[in-house]
């Protein structure tokens, strides 16, 4: 790092620190800042974009800085309405608790609301001292760099709006993940379009949030990066943003650096995370072929303090909005800089991720006797990782589409993903959506999804799906990587105790099954009674559901909120397969119930238990 802020509390000036700066030619000059010029205190902040970055970030800032008015704006009026309700547009543990005091105020403590969500974009820009750019930067789908380069259309559109509206000086802060040197393009646009006499200071303040732990990441960050140019104005702007974060973050965690380094640091972090996941997943293929256990291998490797245990949890691959997109962006940048070897290296990270999903699908087909035609497969989990409702680049989407291609019947359950979101993701990725709608059923409980199924696929590591005993809480890394320490020679990956996060309670699920058998469907044409359709009962033995409903009663010692796998065994067809794409179940326990378990990076149990 090039410099840091003073850890002393209370002061607002930067301590002597070297900051790599860019001159007019963007050279590598090093400046020592002893006393920055006086700056305007930040009293009003605006976020352009009310998504996964803008919403949580501004909620925490407003909560911790009651003296700052924070306004989050978006052109999507439905999203803004959701932010102004208690049914937020995104699921993030702890978000509502952080948001409500700032949005609604606390009259008994004389706290006034200072967090606002609005569609009045121009008014928010005009009043703000500092503007966060929290707009999407998706991968381009057409034109030059399609499939790799970041599409900067939303960044440019937001920049032009700022330039059109601003009547006084503004600090413009990149929050979105952008290619290196994007700030220069922003500067040129603001300079060309902005009103005479209005000055803009541009900072890079990349977010390092992992969905599912975003609130904790904001409250207790590993680091806050603020990149700026080397002019006195730019350094003064950086110092003003530092003062905002200093309200709750120790100053030694707020790092100032070169503007381009801050932009590049975000791409580098995501690329290295993706690389680590693909590395352990590549090893999982070797483990499956040799009889080694990937959990034991990753545990042993993680004991090396040069490697560490983080992000060494093998799975069906990484997902989410960032990792694949940012790695491909890095590939495109490398190609543009005539670095083909570098581009090929990073491209292989994405290739391994796709290979991991393809291997998993082939394993399902092979175990189910080379045909899935009219066989029901239950998908448990649809989000790309637990503790989020985000489905972007979720492995479950690829799995479902592949199963449909194999003529399977698919039932899907996820405790946090909305039904509409599932359908939209399949519509966006399927070549024949009408066929998908005929073969996919969205369920409101895991039991409903598993009823009459030939196989279960665990696609998301939700705690409720695990049958492992939790001896201690675990820490989840990006994409649900288990980073818990293990103290015995028996390697396992215990999940943390589940809460009551399901849309349907376990008590109600028995009733739900019976209602569906009586065709008492809740007015939703996409939820069909499984007892009246799908595979013929005569084709395969099925244990009677009525006789086994009592199994739903929680067994002694069963953790609250977790599935009763003995009940699942009672309602599935024989032979029963579980394809554990997240290694969250104890294969031995399920084997004693009659399941044939296939896990990532481990020899399958199907042949042994046949």
């Amino acid at each position: 790092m090039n410099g840091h802020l003073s850890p002393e509390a209370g002061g607002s000036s930067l301590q002597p620190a070297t900051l790599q700066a860019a001159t007019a030619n963007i050279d590598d000059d090093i400046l020592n800042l002893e006393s920055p010029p006086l700056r305007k205190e930040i009293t009003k902040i605006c976020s352009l974009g009310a998504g996964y970055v803008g919403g949580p970030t501004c909620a925490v800032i407003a909560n911790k800085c009651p003296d700052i008015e924070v306004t989050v704006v978006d052109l999507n009026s439905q999203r803004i309405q959701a932010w102004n309700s208690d049914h937020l547009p995104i699921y993030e543990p702890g978000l509502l608790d952080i948001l409500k005091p700032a949005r609604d105020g606390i009259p008994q403590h004389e706290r006034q609301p200072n967090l606002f969500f609005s569609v009045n974009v121009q008014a928010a820009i005009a009043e703000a001292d500092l503007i966060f750019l929290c707009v999407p930067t998706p991968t381009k789908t057409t034109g030059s760099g399609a499939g790799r380069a970041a599409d900067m259309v939303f960044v440019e559109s937001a920049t032009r709006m700022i330039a059109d509206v601003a009547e006084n000086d503004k600090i413009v802060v990149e929050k979105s993940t952008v290619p290196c040197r994007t700030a220069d393009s922003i500067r040129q646009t603001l300079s060309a379009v902005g009103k005479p006499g209005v000055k803009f200071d541009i900072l890079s303040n990349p977010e390092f949030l992992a969905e599912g732990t975003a609130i904790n990441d904001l409250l207790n960050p590993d680091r806050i990066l603020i990149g700026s140019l080397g002019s006195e104005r730019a350094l003064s702007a950086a110092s003003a943003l530092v003062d905002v974060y200093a309200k709750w973050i120790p100053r030694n965690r707020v790092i100032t650096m070169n503007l381009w380094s801050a932009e590049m640091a975000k791409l580098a972090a995501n690329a290295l995370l993706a690389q680590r996941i693909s590395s352990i997943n590549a090893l999982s293929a070797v483990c499956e072929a040799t009889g080694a256990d990937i959990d034991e291998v990753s545990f042993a490797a993680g004991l090396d303090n040069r490697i560490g245990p983080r992000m060494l949890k093998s799975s069906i691959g990484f997902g989410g909005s960032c990792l694949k997109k940012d790695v491909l962006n890095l590939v495109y940048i490398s190609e543009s800089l005539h670095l083909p070897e570098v581009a090929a290296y990073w491209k292989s990270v994405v290739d391994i991720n796709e290979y991991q999903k393809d291997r998993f699908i082939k394993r399902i087909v092979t175990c189910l006797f080379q045909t899935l035609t009219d066989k029901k497969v239950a998908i448990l989990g649809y989000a790309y990782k637990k503790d989020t409702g985000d489905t972007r680049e979720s492995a479950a989407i690829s799995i479902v589409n592949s199963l449909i291609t194999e003529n399977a019947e698919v039932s899907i359950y996820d405790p946090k993903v909305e039904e509409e979101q599932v359908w939209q993701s399949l519509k966006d990725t399927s070549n024949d959506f009408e066929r998908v709608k005929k073969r996919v059923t969205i369920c409101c409980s895991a039991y409903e999804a598993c009823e009459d199924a030939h196989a279960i696929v665990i696609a998301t590591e939700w705690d409720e799906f695990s049958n492992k005993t939790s001896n201690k809480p675990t820490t989840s890394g990006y994409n649900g990587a288990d980073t818990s320490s293990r103290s015995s020679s028996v390697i396992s990956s215990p999940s943390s105790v589940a809460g009551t996060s399901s849309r349907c309670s376990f008590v109600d699920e028995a009733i739900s099954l019976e209602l569906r058998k009586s065709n008492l469907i809740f007015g939703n044409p996409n939820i069909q009674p499984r007892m009246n359709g799908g595979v013929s009962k005569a084709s395969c033995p099925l244990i009677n559901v009525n006789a086994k409903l009592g199994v739903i009663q929680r067994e002694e010692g069963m953790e609250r909120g977790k599935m009763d796998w003995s009940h699942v065994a009672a309602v599935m067809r024989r032979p029963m397969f579980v394809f554990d794409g997240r290694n969250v179940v104890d294969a031995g326990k399920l084997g004693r119930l009659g399941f044939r378990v296939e896990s990532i990076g481990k020899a399958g149990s199907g042949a042994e238990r046949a």
Side-chain angles (χ1 to χ4, degrees):
M1 67 188 68
N2 301 91
H4 64 277
L5 299 182
S6 167
E8 297 175 1
S12 62
S13 63
L14 289 168
Q15 293 297 305
T18 57
L19 292 132
Q20 191 173 4
T23 63
N25 296 321
I26 318 302
D27 293 327
D28 294 330
D29 294 347
I30 303 298
L31 300 183
N32 289 320
L33 183 66
E34 296 295 341
S35 55
L38 293 176
R39 61 191 177 275
K40 180 180 179 180
E41 183 180 2
I42 302 298
T43 60
K44 292 186 177 182
I45 291 176
C46 165
S47 168
L48 299 186
Y52 282 91
V53 175
T57 298
C58 287
V60 170
I61 290 176
N63 183 284
K64 293 297 184 179
C65 306
D67 55 326
I68 297 178
E69 182 179 304
V70 181
T71 303
V72 182
V73 294
D74 201 290
L75 297 177
N76 187 326
S77 59
Q78 289 185 329
R79 181 179 298 170
I80 292 300
Q81 289 176 5
W83 279 113
N84 282 317
S85 72
D86 286 350
H87 186 69
L88 303 182
I90 64 174
Y91 172 68
E92 188 64 45
L95 175 57
L96 187 60
D97 293 336
I98 284 287
L99 178 145
K100 290 191 72 171
R103 186 194 65 188
D104 303 338
I106 309 177
Q108 60 269 36
H109 292 90
E110 299 184 352
R111 168 159 186 163
Q112 299 301 313
N114 68 314
L115 175 62
F116 307 94
F117 295 91
S118 172
V119 294
N120 196 340
V121 180
Q122 293 187 354
I125 291 174
E127 296 176 5
D129 304 313
L130 182 146
I131 302 168
F132 284 125
L133 291 178
C134 300
V135 296
T137 54
T139 301
K140 290 182 68 175
T141 56
T142 60
S144 177
R148 293 165 299 164
D151 191 340
M152 303 302 291
V153 62
F154 299 111
V155 173
E156 182 175 349
S157 177
T159 302
R160 288 182 176 275
M161 183 173 290
I162 293 170
D164 287 337
V165 172
E167 299 282 353
N168 53 11
D169 295 355
K170 307 289 183 186
I171 299 174
V172 180
V173 183
E174 297 172 332
K175 268 289 183 186
S176 304
T177 304
V178 295
C180 190
R181 299 183 71 88
T182 295
D184 193 39
S185 300
I186 294 174
R187 179 185 60 79
Q188 292 184 44
T189 301
L190 292 173
S191 177
V193 181
K195 295 177 174 59
V198 177
K199 297 181 179 179
F200 300 94
D201 297 298
I202 304 167
L203 305 176
S204 175
N205 177 215
E207 54 85 15
F208 295 97
L209 308 180
E211 291 182 39
T213 60
I215 298 303
N216 185 64
D217 296 338
L218 287 161
L219 293 173
N220 303 288
D222 295 329
R223 77 288 201 200
I224 295 291
L225 301 187
I226 300 176
S228 70
L229 297 179
S231 67
E232 287 190 353
R233 280 190 59 90
L235 292 171
S236 177
S239 187
L241 181 55
V242 167
D243 287 345
V244 173
Y245 285 117
K247 298 291 180 67
W248 77 95
I249 297 171
R251 294 249 173 170
N252 60 357
R253 294 188 192 176
V254 184
I255 314 300
T256 59
M257 60 175 56
N258 174 292
L259 184 57
W260 320 127
S261 297
E263 289 180 333
M264 189 65 191
K266 172 62 182 202
L267 282 179
N270 280 350
L272 290 169
L273 290 173
Q275 174 207 52
R276 194 165 170 97
I277 295 169
S278 284
S279 294
I280 200 65
N281 282 342
L283 290 171
S284 74
V286 179
C287 288
E288 290 171 24
T290 60
D293 185 320
I294 191 61
D295 282 348
E296 295 179 344
V297 171
S298 63
F299 171 59
L303 292 176
D304 189 325
N305 58 20
R306 298 169 300 174
I307 299 173
R310 301 296 299 271
M311 308 302 292
L312 289 182
K313 182 71 172 174
S314 88
S315 67
I316 44 178
F318 57 76
S321 65
C322 294
L323 294 193
K324 180 179 178 180
K325 172 180 72 73
D326 292 348
V327 173
L328 290 174
N329 191 12
L330 187 57
V331 170
Y332 178 73
I333 291 171
S334 300
E335 291 174 343
S336 301
L337 297 173
H338 307 292
L339 302 170
E341 293 82 3
V342 176
Y345 173 79
W346 289 111
K347 178 63 164 57
S348 69
V349 171
V350 176
D351 291 342
I352 287 292
N353 197 56
E354 297 305 310
Y355 168 69
Q356 188 77 343
K357 289 183 281 189
D358 291 342
R359 284 198 320 110
F360 192 68
I361 291 294
K362 290 177 181 176
R363 196 172 181 183
I364 294 174
V365 175
T366 299
C367 288
L368 291 178
F369 316 111
Q370 300 296 338
T371 180
L372 299 182
T373 300
D374 292 333
K375 291 179 179 177
K376 180 180 176 181
V377 180
I379 306 295
L380 298 187
Y382 198 79
Y384 83 91
K385 60 180 286 189
K386 73 173 186 177
D387 293 333
T388 182
D390 194 354
T391 62
R392 289 174 291 182
E393 296 293 338
S394 173
I397 300 174
S398 299
I399 292 170
V400 170
N401 282 321
S402 296
L403 293 175
I404 297 300
T405 301
E406 297 286 343
N407 296 313
E409 300 285 336
V410 179
S411 57
I412 301 171
Y413 164 70
D414 188 285
K416 290 300 177 182
V417 177
E418 300 291 342
E419 180 175 329
E420 180 182 355
Q421 190 175 347
V422 175
W423 289 123
Q424 187 61 52
S425 67
L426 293 174
K427 183 178 181 180
D428 292 342
T429 57
S430 173
N431 295 324
D432 188 352
F433 184 55
E434 290 303 315
R435 183 185 183 195
V436 169
K437 287 193 294 184
K438 293 177 181 178
R439 289 191 169 272
V440 171
T441 304
I442 312 299
C443 303
C444 75
S445 76
Y447 294 141
E448 180 193 352
C450 295
E451 181 192 358
D452 205 13
H454 294 76
I456 295 171
V457 173
I458 300 177
T460 310
E461 69 279 14
W462 288 105
D463 291 334
E464 69 179 86
F465 304 148
S466 176
N467 67 336
K468 295 179 179 178
T469 303
S470 297
N471 295 322
K472 64 180 74 174
T474 65
T475 302
S476 289
Y478 201 95
N479 286 287
D482 181 10
T483 59
S484 61
S485 60
R486 302 171 175 88
S487 58
S488 71
S489 60
V490 179
I491 310 302
S492 61
S493 303
S495 300
S496 56
V497 178
T500 55
S501 60
S502 300
R503 292 196 297 264
C504 296
S505 70
F506 287 103
V507 174
D508 290 338
E509 285 162 5
I511 302 173
S512 176
L513 287 173
E514 290 302 297
L515 287 175
R516 279 159 176 74
K517 288 190 292 179
S518 303
N519 292 328
L520 298 178
I521 308 304
F522 305 121
N524 191 331
N526 293 318
I527 301 180
Q528 301 296 330
R530 304 305 303 165
M531 300 301 289
N532 297 331
V535 184
S536 169
K537 296 292 182 296
S539 65
C540 191
L542 173 67
I543 291 180
N544 185 277
V545 177
N546 289 326
K548 294 293 184 179
L549 282 177
V551 183
I552 288 181
Q553 298 301 317
R554 188 173 290 107
E555 293 179 353
E556 184 177 356
M558 182 183 296
E559 294 184 44
R560 180 176 176 80
K562 288 196 174 184
M563 286 173 54
D564 182 347
W565 281 93
S566 63
H567 173 68
V568 175
V571 298
M572 281 186 68
R573 292 183 180 274
R574 266 54 175 171
M576 305 179 296
F577 285 91
V578 173
F579 298 94
D580 186 1
R582 299 292 177 178
N583 287 355
V584 297
V585 299
D586 184 323
K589 288 182 180 179
L590 291 190
R592 289 190 288 274
L593 292 174
F595 290 97
R596 303 181 182 186
V597 182
E598 301 289 326
S599 304
I600 298 291
K602 303 178 184 183
S605 63
E608 298 171 4
R609 302 184 186 280

